[in-house]
Amino acid sequence: MTGIDKVAWILLSDGQILSTRSQGRDVWYLPGGKREPGESDRDTLRREIAEELSVEVDVASAVHVGTFTAQAHGHAAGVEVRMTCYTAGYRGTLHPAGEIAESAWLGYADRDRVSAVDQIIFDHLHAADLLR
């Protein structure tokens, strides 16, 4: 079993979650990305969110929401993604950057527009009455 190790940012507002779509992709993903060698979860979160959304995550406020695993979207069968998710405050104005084409606030009704691992996260947040 091959795996992809990612860290994601859970930013909720009024029952919706911030999601991103990369250039050339048709599926939405939670903001975040792959860990660099030797990086901690919080280091990855800080770097990836700065690169993708032009804001500074307040890693001191980061709270682990959960770790979720599913088949990696766009990869061969058996390649799983392990997504470690955190909420955290931030400073700055959210603005897509780097490989991110756009960002949007999605609700639970948008579940079919996101990757398999994000669908599991959407289910988790919906069950906790955090995503409507």
Side-chain angles (χ1 to χ4, degrees):
M1 184 71 56
T2 307
I4 300 168
D5 182 24
K6 294 180 110 177
V7 177
W9 188 31
I10 304 289
L11 184 60
L12 296 160
S13 179
D14 296 325
Q16 295 186 308
I17 191 166
L18 185 67
S19 294
T20 58
R21 189 183 61 76
S22 296
Q23 306 279 350
R25 299 285 184 132
D26 59 352
V27 173
W28 292 78
Y29 299 90
L30 295 177
K34 295 177 188 169
R35 181 188 321 269
E36 297 286 338
E39 258 185 343
S40 70
D41 286 359
R42 285 170 172 76
D43 290 341
T44 304
L45 190 65
R46 176 189 295 123
R47 178 183 53 75
E48 284 287 341
I49 300 310
E51 290 173 4
E52 293 184 356
L53 292 168
S54 307
V55 296
E56 182 184 347
V57 170
D58 176 13
V59 293
S61 71
V63 175
H64 183 247
V65 173
T67 301
F68 306 89
T69 304
Q71 169 66 39
H73 180 78
H75 289 267
V79 177
E80 290 190 332
V81 61
R82 178 179 182 263
M83 190 89 78
T84 305
C85 300
Y86 291 88
T87 58
Y90 69 96
R91 288 178 291 283
T93 302
L94 295 165
H95 180 15
E99 79 266 14
I100 303 302
E102 61 182 322
S103 62
W105 293 96
L106 303 182
Y108 192 67
D110 299 303
R111 183 184 180 276
D112 63 338
R113 299 171 63 194
V114 303
S115 70
V117 72
D118 286 10
Q119 288 180 5
I120 293 168
I121 297 164
F122 271 42
D123 291 344
H124 174 81
L125 296 170
H126 183 67
D129 203 30
L130 296 171
L131 184 65
R132 295 190 297 258

